[in-house]
Amino acid sequence: MNKQPATDLDNAASEATRTVSVAVIGAGTAGQNAFRQASKTHDDIVIINDGFWTTTCVQVGCMPSKLLIAAADRAHEANHSADFGIYATAQIDGKKVMQRVHDERSRFASYIKEQVNGWPEGKKIDGRAHINEKGLIEVNDELIKADKIIVATGSSTFIPDGWADKLGNTLKTSDTIFELTDLPNSMAVVGAGAIGLELAQAFTRLGVEVTLFNRVKRVAGLKDDAINNKAIDCLTQELTMHLGSQINDLGILEGTDSTAFIDYELDSGQSDQWQGDCVLVATGRRNSIQQLGVENFGVELDEKNRPTDLNKKTGQIGDSNVYIVGDANAHIPLLHVASDEGYSAGNMIGDNKENAYIRPPAIPFSIVFCSPQIMNVGRSLPEIQQDPDLEYVIGSVSFDNQGRSRVMGVNCGLLHIYGCKKTDKILGASMVGPDAEYIGHILATAITNDLDIKSMLDTPFYHPTILEGLRTALRDVQHKMEISYQCQDTQEDNC
C-alpha cells in the first residue's frame, strides 16, 4: 500500500467526520463474517453496505436457484417415469412455483436479517461507499477515516455493452430472474456456465421453451475434453443448445413491445433468428472494486480488476492494512471461500492470527447443480499437463451402466480422476454424472487431507450405491499406476 506523506494523513484526519479502527465495506457473506470477527476485538467499527443486507447466495444465487431446480426436478420425475411403468403428466402452476421460491427465499433471508438487526445501529451505514484521493471513505454525508479496511463488495452480473438498451424489459439476469411472478412461455439463455446451465434446464423442466446459446462448444467451463463432450451428450437429451454460436444482433422485435429476438449464426455458417418472451443473460459476474476507488488505498489492479499482491488465505494486500475478500478479489468466487476469507480477515484485523489460519487454503472445487451434475475439484487436466515435473494417470469410470445409476434411471455420466504417479495421490478430478456433489466432497476431503489412493480404497463402499463408481475410478487409477511401474522396471516398449 502506498504510504501517504504525514501532512496528507493529518489533513485527511482533520477533514474526517468520523474516525474508526475498522471499516468493512460490503455486507454479504464475506463482509458479515469479517464484521462479526473484527467486532470481537474492535468496538469502533462500522460496516457500510449498498443494497440488500442479506447475501448474494440467499437473495439472487444459490438458494432461489436451488428452489427453482427442486420444483423442476419434481415436474421432470412426474413427466418421465414411463420406463418404470408409472404414467403421469405434471400440472405446473407457474405462479405457485415462483411464489414458493419467493416465500422460501424470504425465510432464509429472515435468519440473516435477524442477525444484522441485532448489530448496533451506529455501526451500520446504509449507502454507497467511495474512497477519495485522500483515502477517506465517502458515504452519504460522512467522511470516514479508517485505520484498517476490509473490502467485501462482492460482484454483479455482467451484461455486454448495449444489450440492456436493446432488450429493455425483456432482459433478465440472475439478479432479476427470481423476481418473476409467473413462468414465461419462452426464454433464451445466453451463457452455458453454471448459472446458465442450471436455470436453462430448470425452466425447461417447468415447461418453458428454452434455447441456450454459448459462444464456445463447452459447458460449465469444463477443461477435460472427454468430460465436456459427455456433458453435452447428456444435457442435449432434454436441452436445446446452440454451442459455438455467434450472436450478431438482438433486441425487441419491431412492431412489438415485449417480444425479444436474437439473430445468430451457427458454426456451420447457418444463420437464424430466435424469438421469445425474455432473454436471460448469464455471461458471468464481475467484481466492481475499480468503481470503489481502491487505488486511493494504494491497491493495484490487473487487467481483469483483480487486486495484485493478494494474500489468498486472508485477503490482505501486501503488508498494508487493506483486505479484499470474497467475490471482490475474484480469487475463487464461491460462497465457502468468501466465508473463510471474511472470517480470516476479521481475525487478522484483531491480530488473532491463530484463528485466522484455522482453515486450510481452499482448493478449487465447483459443483453445477444441473442434471446430471457437473463437478471439478483440485487441479484441472490442462494445468497438470502443462507441469513438466508431473507424471500422471487418468482413472476413469462411465456411469452409463453403473449398477445403482441404472436402477435409478440416471445413468449418463463420466468421471476422471487424475492420479500422481510419484505420490499415489489425487491431483484433481472432473465429472459429469449422478451424485457428483457427494463424490466431489469425498475427493476434496482426500486432496485436503493428503490421502493416497490406497487409503481411499481401504474405505468401505456400500453396495449398491452410486458411490461405488468412485471406487471403480480409483481402482482404475491404481491399476494404471501399477502398469506404469512395471513399464519403468522392465522398460518394455509395448507398455
Side-chain angles (χ1 to χ4, degrees), residues 444-465:
T445 298
I447 295 171
T448 301
N449 292 282
D450 219 21
L451 300 180
D452 58 24
I453 300 297
K454 182 181 182 305
S455 298
M456 293 287 290
L457 286 170
D458 285 343
T459 302
F461 288 82
Y462 202 85
H463 174 77
T465 62

Side-chain angles (χ1 to χ4, degrees), residues 268-434:
S268 63
Q270 178 185 349
S271 296
D272 207 341
Q273 184 182 80
W274 170 90
Q275 296 179 12
D277 292 340
C278 59
V279 177
L280 172 60
V281 179
T283 48
R285 299 182 68 89
R286 307 282 175 88
N287 68 11
S288 54
I289 57 175
Q290 187 178 35
Q291 302 171 18
L292 184 64
V294 289
E295 71 278 3
N296 294 317
F297 281 154
V299 177
E300 295 183 0
L301 304 177
D302 65 15
E303 70 282 357
K304 294 184 178 180
N305 284 345
R306 298 172 300 194
T308 60
D309 205 12
L310 173 76
N311 184 318
K312 294 179 180 179
K313 296 180 182 179
T314 65
Q316 186 175 13
I317 305 300
D319 61 355
S320 74
N321 290 325
V322 177
Y323 298 74
I324 302 180
V325 294
D327 289 7
N329 66 35
H331 170 217
I332 302 177
L334 297 171
L335 181 138
H336 67 279
V337 178
S339 177
D340 287 353
E341 289 179 355
Y343 184 93
S344 293
N347 281 299
M348 287 290 289
I349 286 287
D351 292 325
N352 186 0
K353 295 181 174 59
E354 182 179 352
N355 281 342
Y357 291 99
I358 65 169
R359 293 171 173 81
I363 61 168
F365 182 23
S366 64
I367 301 171
V368 182
F369 293 89
C370 54
S371 182
Q373 294 177 340
I374 294 171
M375 175 279 296
N376 290 287
V377 63
R379 301 177 70 171
S380 70
L381 183 56
E383 287 173 334
I384 294 168
Q385 292 170 331
Q386 290 165 11
D387 190 333
D389 297 325
L390 277 180
E391 293 184 61
Y392 69 95
V393 299
I394 301 177
S396 178
V397 62
S398 169
F399 286 85
D400 292 2
N401 287 303
Q402 195 269 337
R404 183 65 184 278
S405 300
R406 193 161 187 87
V407 167
M408 302 297 292
V410 290
N411 52 308
C412 190
L414 179 65
L415 166 63
H416 277 178
I417 297 176
Y418 317 125
C420 178
K421 288 185 186 179
K422 183 177 180 181
T423 64
D424 287 345
K425 292 174 182 173
I426 299 169
L427 297 168
S430 186
M431 175 181 178
V432 56

Side-chain angles (χ1 to χ4, degrees), residues 3-25:
K3 303 294 184 181
Q4 291 178 295
T7 52
D8 289 348
L9 292 174
D10 291 340
N11 290 337
S14 65
E15 292 180 16
T17 58
R18 191 195 305 199
T19 299
V20 297
S21 294
V22 182
V24 180
I25 306 175

Side-chain angles (χ1 to χ4, degrees), residues 184-234:
N185 293 316
S186 55
M187 172 188 297
V189 177
V190 181
I195 295 171
L197 278 182
E198 289 181 0
L199 295 183
Q201 186 179 61
F203 279 110
T204 295
R205 290 183 165 190
L206 289 167
V208 179
E209 187 179 326
V210 177
T211 302
L212 186 147
F213 298 88
N214 201 50
R215 184 173 50 84
V216 296
K217 289 188 174 182
R218 290 196 177 274
V219 296
L222 286 167
K223 297 178 181 179
D224 184 319
D225 288 343
I227 302 296
N228 180 66
N229 292 336
K230 187 62 179 179
I232 293 171
D233 288 344
C234 295

Side-chain angles (χ1 to χ4, degrees), residues 36-51:
R36 280 193 293 268
Q37 295 309 118
S39 294
K40 295 177 181 178
T41 53
H42 291 80
D43 187 58
D44 55 337
I45 179 174
V46 294
I47 182 166
I48 305 163
N49 187 62
D50 179 35

Side-chain angles (χ1 to χ4, degrees), residues 60-83:
V60 295
C62 318
M63 304 315 288
S65 66
K66 302 313 167 285
L67 285 163
L68 192 73
I69 290 170
D73 287 348
R74 295 292 179 93
H76 181 76
E77 289 177 10
N79 287 326
H80 295 82
S81 296
D83 287 347

